[in-house]
Amino acid sequence: MTQVVYNYFNVRMICAVGCKVEHPMKLCESYYSARLCLTSQQRRDEAVAFFDGKPGNGDPARVFDMALYKCSLIRAFEEQDADTLEQLMNQIIDSIRIDPSRQLQAMDAACNLLFLCLSQFTGGEEIISQTFSQEPEGYRCIYRQRSTMEIADWVSALGDGLVRALRSQKRGYKDQIIRQIKAYIQSNLDQRLSLNNVAAVFGFSPNYLSQLFARQAGCSFVEYVTREKIRAAKEMMREDSVKFYEIAERLGFENAFYFSKVFKKIEGCSPREYVQRRGQKGVLGAGVCRGKPLPPCPDGAAGGDCRPEKSCPQPLGRPPV
C-alpha cells in the first residue's frame, strides 16, 4: 500500500507504533514514543516503525503534558492575572529546558501554547505578532527552531510579550471598572450606597472592591460616596424653597440630623451656616423641627423658618435636626 501511494503521489508513508500502556490516560506516552520512532528511524524504506524502548529513543514516561497547564493558563487569561501567567510560563520553560534531548516534545509544547494564546487570549494575534515583529516570519519563526534551547527561548519571548500586554490591559481594565462604579454612584445618589450592595452589583467581593477603589481612585469607597452626596447637596441648596430634610431624603440619608452631621464633617460647617456664608436666602434652613415638618409662620416668614418668637422649641441659629 505504501508503495502504491509513493508511485502515484511521490510521498513516502511511514507508520509508527508506540509503546504499550496499561491505561487509556497514558495514551499520550504511546503517541510520543511513536513520534520518537519517526524522528530516530534510520531506515526510511521501512513502512512500519516500532518503538523498541532503547535509551536512544527517549523515555515516553517523561512526556511533557501541556494539558496540565491549559486550564490554569485560560484562567489567567480570563482573570487578567499577569503574575500567575508569568509563573506558569516560567514553569513551562523550565520543563522544556530540563532535558535538551526532548526537542520533539518542546516543539509540541510551543505549538500548543501558541494555538492556545491565539485562540484564548484577547487580542492574541495582534499581541503575539507585535512580540515577534522583529522576526521576518513573525511568530511562525517557531518552526525554524532546531534545538530545545532555541524553542525554550522562543517560549520565553512569547511569555514576556503576553505578560507585558496583560499588565497593560489590567491597568486599563481596572480604570474602566472604577469609571463604571463612579458612574453607577452618580446615577444612584438617592440610594443608600453601601459597599456590599455596590460590590454585589458588579460581581466583586466587598473586600476586593474596597481595595481596588482605594488603589485606583485615591480614596476609600465610603469617602467618595459621601463626598459626592455632599456635592449634590450643595447643588440642591441653590434651588428655591428647598428644605434640608428634603435634601436628606433625596440623597438617601437616614434623616436630616445625620445629613447635617455628615455635611459639617465634610464642609466644616452646618448646612445652615453654609447657606448663610454664601448669602443664599432661597433655602429654608430649618424645614423640620425634632424630626417633624414645621407649618408656615403666621407673619408670612418663610415656611418652616424656626424662630423663638414663633413658639418653637428650636433655638435660633441651631442647625436643623
Side-chain angles (χ1 to χ4, degrees), residues 5-157:
V5 173
Y6 180 77
N7 291 339
Y8 275 91
F9 302 103
N10 196 29
V11 174
R12 180 73 65 184
M13 282 183 58
I14 302 176
C15 299
V17 179
C19 64
K20 180 181 177 180
V21 293
E22 299 179 356
H23 195 278
M25 295 299 293
K26 294 185 177 182
L27 281 175
C28 59
E29 298 178 9
S30 180
Y31 170 73
Y32 174 63
S33 63
R35 294 195 63 189
L36 286 174
C37 292
L38 297 179
T39 58
S40 61
Q41 187 186 26
Q42 300 296 327
R43 296 179 57 187
R44 295 297 179 179
D45 57 337
E46 296 180 357
V48 181
F50 293 90
F51 177 75
D52 58 15
K54 292 181 180 179
N57 279 352
D59 182 4
R62 297 174 62 189
V63 174
F64 175 73
D65 190 0
M66 268 296 298
L68 299 175
Y69 297 92
K70 181 177 179 180
C71 292
S72 298
L73 286 168
I74 293 177
R75 188 180 304 112
F77 293 160
E78 292 176 344
E79 297 178 358
Q80 297 189 321
D81 190 342
D83 293 335
T84 297
L85 177 60
E86 187 174 31
Q87 293 175 4
L88 291 171
M89 294 299 293
N90 288 335
Q91 291 175 16
I92 293 172
I93 294 168
D94 291 342
S95 298
I96 292 175
R97 286 177 171 162
I98 197 171
D99 190 347
S101 66
R102 298 159 67 185
Q103 187 270 345
L104 185 61
Q105 278 189 299
M107 180 61 76
D108 283 348
C111 292
N112 290 335
L113 183 60
L114 174 61
F115 175 77
L116 185 67
C117 295
L118 290 172
S119 60
Q120 299 293 331
F121 195 93
T122 303
E125 176 81 26
E126 179 181 356
I127 293 170
I128 297 174
S129 296
Q130 184 177 1
T131 300
F132 294 96
S133 60
Q134 301 300 320
E135 296 290 339
E137 299 175 2
Y139 59 78
R140 292 178 179 83
C141 65
I142 178 59
Y143 304 117
R144 290 192 292 100
Q145 312 307 313
R146 293 292 177 259
S147 70
T148 303
M149 294 299 104
E150 289 177 349
I151 295 172
D153 291 341
W154 182 93
V155 174
S156 178

Side-chain angles (χ1 to χ4, degrees), residues 298-316:
D299 62 353
D305 194 7
C306 207
R307 299 183 183 277
E309 61 268 26
K310 305 304 177 186
S311 301
C312 176
Q314 177 89 342
L316 182 63

Side-chain angles (χ1 to χ4, degrees), residues 103-285:
Q103 187 270 345
L104 185 61
Q105 278 189 299
M107 180 61 76
D108 283 348
C111 292
N112 290 335
L113 183 60
L114 174 61
F115 175 77
L116 185 67
C117 295
L118 290 172
S119 60
Q120 299 293 331
F121 195 93
T122 303
E125 176 81 26
E126 179 181 356
I127 293 170
I128 297 174
S129 296
Q130 184 177 1
T131 300
F132 294 96
S133 60
Q134 301 300 320
E135 296 290 339
E137 299 175 2
Y139 59 78
R140 292 178 179 83
C141 65
I142 178 59
Y143 304 117
R144 290 192 292 100
Q145 312 307 313
R146 293 292 177 259
S147 70
T148 303
M149 294 299 104
E150 289 177 349
I151 295 172
D153 291 341
W154 182 93
V155 174
S156 178
L158 174 66
D160 291 342
L162 292 175
V163 170
R164 283 195 304 269
L166 201 58
R167 284 186 172 138
S168 177
Q169 288 182 1
K170 191 172 184 179
R171 286 192 294 269
Y173 169 76
K174 288 182 177 180
D175 291 339
Q176 181 181 4
I177 290 296
I178 295 301
R179 286 195 297 270
Q180 292 176 353
I181 293 174
K182 287 183 176 181
Y184 179 83
I185 292 172
Q186 296 295 333
S187 301
N188 294 273
L189 287 175
D190 58 335
Q191 305 296 321
R192 294 183 182 178
L193 296 167
S194 69
L195 178 64
N196 289 348
N197 291 340
V198 176
V201 169
F202 287 87
F204 299 128
S205 69
N207 185 56
Y208 175 78
L209 178 57
S210 177
Q211 294 178 0
L212 176 65
F213 202 96
R215 286 196 304 267
Q216 301 300 119
C219 64
S220 71
F221 174 86
V222 174
E223 290 172 344
Y224 180 80
V225 171
T226 302
R227 189 171 66 235
E228 290 304 302
K229 282 181 177 284
I230 297 304
R231 180 193 58 76
K234 292 191 292 185
E235 291 294 326
M236 292 180 185
M237 290 178 185
R238 300 178 185 276
E239 302 176 13
D240 293 336
S241 304
V242 63
K243 300 178 178 63
F244 292 148
Y245 80 90
E246 292 176 336
I247 295 176
E249 290 177 354
R250 290 185 194 179
L251 295 176
F253 287 96
E254 295 181 5
N255 49 55
F257 174 78
Y258 182 66
F259 163 65
S260 180
K261 180 180 178 181
V262 173
F263 191 99
K264 187 171 185 178
K265 181 179 180 180
I266 299 297
E267 296 296 323
C269 62
S270 68
R272 173 189 288 277
E273 292 169 341
Y274 176 81
V275 171
Q276 291 174 344
R277 289 177 184 179
R278 294 180 60 89
Q280 297 177 358
K281 298 181 180 180
V283 179
L284 306 184

